[in-house]
Amino acid sequence: MSGAQERPLRADAARNRARLLEVATEVFTARGVGVPTEEIARAAGVGVGTLFRHFPTKEALLEAVMVRRLEAIAARAAQLAAESEPAEAFFGCFRLVIEQSEGKDEFARALAAAGVDAHAALQESSTAIRAQLAGLLAGAQQAGAVRPDLGLPELIALLVGTSRAMEQLGTDPAARQRIFEVVFDGLRPR
């Protein structure tokens, strides 16, 4: 059975899977994880059978959405590191992680309730992002843009805390921007 799963998907199947993930990401983020899978299949323009061929359970779909989000963050962080100055890359990645973390806790709670260990499922993607954050932090510190006494554990804690702060603010863009400004001011050297 595992041999069948290792074969590359046909082009139409790969498009369907990608479309399902795209739609599920949008719907779950906007409306929460309680949206029925049938509604996701309909919004993606496929039958529910197609959805379940790719994702046998709703939890498998949620996990795939979370992995996809982390992979997108990792790819964008790598792009920022390659194309931007160290300070711009670091602060851009900080903002990216916060903006992409919306709904993450709800996904993790839904997976935990179903008995899925979200941390284990996301270990590889999380490790890649942590490595990128460490590199971006070191580059920004060497450039003099970030205080030298900040370590990766504190950075992770600040990302988690800032993410929670943004949840409290809702969608007020001016308030969200002020939070970024306050946190970024605290990250810069004195």
Side-chain angles (χ1 to χ4, degrees):
M1 192 74 165
S2 65
Q5 291 177 344
E6 292 172 13
R7 283 190 319 223
L9 293 174
R10 292 185 335 255
D12 61 332
R15 279 191 303 274
N16 285 341
R17 185 179 195 285
R19 179 74 181 139
L20 282 163
L21 279 173
E22 179 183 319
V23 168
T25 299
E26 291 170 10
V27 171
F28 287 148
T29 300
R31 298 181 38 213
V33 298
V35 176
T37 51
E38 293 79 9
E39 201 171 315
I40 299 212
R42 190 171 36 255
V46 301
V48 74
T50 298
L51 184 147
F52 285 123
R53 268 192 300 283
H54 291 286
F55 308 102
T57 64
K58 186 174 188 177
E59 291 75 25
L61 178 59
L62 284 169
E63 183 179 323
V65 166
M66 287 185 74
V67 167
R68 179 179 184 259
R69 286 172 80 169
L70 288 176
E71 288 172 346
I73 290 170
R76 181 65 182 128
Q79 183 181 12
L80 283 167
E83 297 175 355
S84 306
E85 294 299 317
E88 183 183 340
F90 173 81
F91 290 110
C93 187
F94 191 104
R95 184 180 293 271
L96 172 73
V97 169
I98 299 306
E99 290 170 348
Q100 292 298 311
S101 69
E102 189 175 332
K104 180 181 66 104
D105 289 340
E106 184 182 5
F107 286 26
R109 281 192 300 275
L111 289 171
V116 177
D117 182 356
H119 292 292
L122 304 174
Q123 184 67 39
E124 186 177 331
S125 299
S126 295
T127 299
I129 290 173
R130 288 176 72 89
Q132 287 177 320
L133 285 170
L136 290 169
L137 175 61
Q141 287 172 324
Q142 289 170 358
V146 173
R147 52 189 302 155
D149 59 337
L150 183 73
L152 185 61
E154 294 90 2
L155 175 59
I156 300 294
L158 284 169
L159 286 165
V160 170
T162 305
S163 177
R164 295 250 195 284
M166 294 299 188
E167 289 173 9
Q168 296 299 311
L169 293 175
T171 58
D172 180 352
R176 292 173 72 88
Q177 181 57 34
R178 280 191 301 277
I179 292 294
F180 278 124
E181 289 169 6
V182 168
V183 172
F184 290 175
D185 283 347
L187 289 167
R188 291 188 178 94
R190 293 183 186 143

